[in-house]
């Protein structure tokens, strides 16, 4: 498989995704949607192995990325304080979902609509579990985070029987999300994941993050760091024995893994 071929497909489909989601009116009121380029490349790489006609592959990838963007947009709502921006962000997410249904409905691909709908349902169920802190188990919490990040892709890969490399992909996407959550916690003192971890580790504490001791904050960071290292190790081992990753995707994954720098201790102990 030629790297240049994958690069061209990636560039072409990325432009289509951007054209679909960067609505001029919405961008006056909402944050510019972030297109996850790694998920885009993963989808292209998965489907490229099937030798599908390019327009068919493009439609599947574009549809899935519209769903992903819709889910990511809706996830931003809790962080928005301006009421008009909140309403428009909800509408933006719904708009992207509508585009996804339109694309697949026009191609009459009901089976893929069903597959992605299952992924959406699974993601939303796990988001509720994390958001409402319905689990008291750290392993289950990390599994939920993994499902939130990868369910669309794993459902699609299972449908097309390309799921032999799911362990690498799911752990890579979990790695990325945990690094993001860790960084957000260090910078702002709050995080979707760390709030749920706090409830598990300190169930009797009603403290806000700013009231946690330095030791408690470092404990949260340590647990997150251990899971990051575990996922990173799984990905590295998987890459070394997986014959299916194309060079472009492999270089993107290894590049992000190598950029990661563990936080030895981010909060100074009190006293």
């Amino acid at each position: 498989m030629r790297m240049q071929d994958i690069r061209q497909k990636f560039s072409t489909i990325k432009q289509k995704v951007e054209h679909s989601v960067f609505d001029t009116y919405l961008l006056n009121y909402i944050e510019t949607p972030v297109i996850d380029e790694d998920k885009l490349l993963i989808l292209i790489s998965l489907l490229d192995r099937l030798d599908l006609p390019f327009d068919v592959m493009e439609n599947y990838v574009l549809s899935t990325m519209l769903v992903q963007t819709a889910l990511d947009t809706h996830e931003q709502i809790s962080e928005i304080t301006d009421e008009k921006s909140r309403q428009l962000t909800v509408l933006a997410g719904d708009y992207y979902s509508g585009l996804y249904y339109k694309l697949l409905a026009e191609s009459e691909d009901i089976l893929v609509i069903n597959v992605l709908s299952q992924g959406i349902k699974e993601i939303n169920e796990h988001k509720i579990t994390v958001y409402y802190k319905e689990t008291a188990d750290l392993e289950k919490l990390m599994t939920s985070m993994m499902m939130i990040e990868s369910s669309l892709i794993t459902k699609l890969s299972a449908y097309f029987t390309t799921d032999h490399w799911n362990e690498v992909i799911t752990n890579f996407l979990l790695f990325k999300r945990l690094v993001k959550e860790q960084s957000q916690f260090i910078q702002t003192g709050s995080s979707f994941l760390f709030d749920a971890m706090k409830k598990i580790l300190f169930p009797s504490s009603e403290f806000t993050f700013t009231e946690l001791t330095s030791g408690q904050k470092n404990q949260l960071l340590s647990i997150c760091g251990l899971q990051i290292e575990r996922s990173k190790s799984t990905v590295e081992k998987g890459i070394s024995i997986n014959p299916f990753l194309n060079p472009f995707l492999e270089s993107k994954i290894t590049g992000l893994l190598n950029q990661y720098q563990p936080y030895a201790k981010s909060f100074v102990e009190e006293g």
Side-chain angles (χ1 to χ4, degrees):
M1 185 182 302
R2 293 180 298 112
M3 185 184 291
Q4 186 57 41
D5 182 49
I6 289 292
R7 285 183 181 274
Q8 184 57 51
K9 290 175 180 177
F10 174 78
S11 177
T12 300
I13 298 177
K14 180 188 173 187
Q15 289 178 15
K16 288 284 186 71
V17 176
E18 290 174 340
H19 178 74
S20 297
V21 303
F22 292 163
D23 181 271
T24 305
Y25 175 76
L26 288 173
L27 292 182
N28 288 326
Y29 298 96
I30 68 170
E31 293 291 328
T32 303
V34 177
I35 297 169
D36 193 319
E37 295 187 6
D38 297 313
K39 289 180 181 177
L40 175 61
L41 178 56
I42 288 167
L43 286 166
I44 293 170
S45 300
L46 282 169
L47 297 178
D48 191 66
R49 296 192 59 80
L50 302 175
D51 295 322
L52 296 169
F54 179 73
D55 62 329
V56 174
M57 182 182 77
E58 180 183 66
N59 199 46
Y60 288 146
V61 175
L62 178 56
S63 300
T64 307
M65 289 305 299
L66 285 170
V67 175
Q68 185 65 62
T69 305
L71 291 166
D72 293 344
T73 300
H74 282 152
E75 195 169 311
Q76 298 171 1
I77 294 169
S78 62
E79 302 172 5
I80 300 172
T81 55
D82 179 72
E83 184 59 28
K84 183 174 183 179
S85 294
R86 283 175 61 89
Q87 292 174 352
L88 284 169
T89 301
V90 172
L91 290 174
D94 294 343
Y95 171 66
Y96 303 144
S97 293
L99 290 178
Y100 138 72
Y101 282 112
K102 180 175 182 292
L103 276 174
L104 289 182
E106 287 176 347
S107 64
E108 299 183 348
D109 208 326
I110 305 303
L111 291 177
V112 173
I113 290 178
N114 184 53
V115 167
L116 292 179
S117 295
Q118 291 174 15
I120 295 168
K121 179 175 180 289
E122 195 166 75
I123 288 170
N124 285 331
E125 287 173 349
H126 283 282
K127 281 185 177 180
I128 289 170
T129 296
V130 177
Y131 186 81
Y132 289 103
K133 308 170 191 64
E134 294 179 351
T135 179
D137 183 273
L138 284 170
E139 286 295 326
K140 290 180 180 179
L141 174 61
M142 294 303 171
T143 297
S144 287
M145 294 302 293
M146 178 182 284
M147 300 301 288
I148 289 168
E149 287 303 304
S150 60
S151 282
L152 285 181
I153 292 175
T154 56
K155 292 293 184 187
L156 203 61
S157 67
Y159 175 73
F160 286 111
T161 63
T162 57
D163 49 348
H164 37 266
W165 52 342
N166 273 359
E167 186 177 36
V168 171
I169 299 308
T170 55
N171 275 278
F172 170 63
L173 294 177
L174 177 61
F175 166 85
K176 277 188 58 184
R177 180 62 186 257
L178 294 182
V179 170
K180 177 183 175 183
E181 294 285 332
Q182 183 186 65
S183 177
Q184 183 178 344
F185 175 64
I186 290 170
Q187 292 175 16
T188 69
S190 65
S191 154
F192 179 65
L193 169 66
F194 276 74
D195 193 25
M197 288 173 58
K198 170 181 169 289
K199 181 67 174 179
I200 294 171
L201 291 173
F202 315 118
S204 61
S205 172
E206 296 299 326
F207 293 156
T208 64
F209 279 114
T210 56
E211 295 172 316
L212 290 175
T213 68
S214 298
Q216 288 172 324
K217 293 175 184 177
N218 282 325
Q219 186 178 351
L220 291 171
L221 282 171
S222 177
I223 290 170
C224 184
L226 287 172
Q227 181 60 59
I228 289 173
E229 292 292 347
R230 186 190 304 176
S231 295
K232 182 173 181 283
S233 177
T234 300
V235 175
E236 289 170 338
K237 290 176 183 175
I239 287 176
S240 68
I241 61 174
N242 195 315
F244 302 109
L245 299 182
N246 61 72
F248 186 30
L249 177 58
E250 183 174 340
S251 67
K252 291 279 285 185
I253 291 176
T254 55
L256 284 172
L257 295 180
N258 292 335
Q259 286 177 20
Y260 173 66
Q261 296 294 325
Y263 290 94
K265 181 156 286 196
S266 295
F267 296 96
V268 177
E269 292 290 351
E270 298 167 340

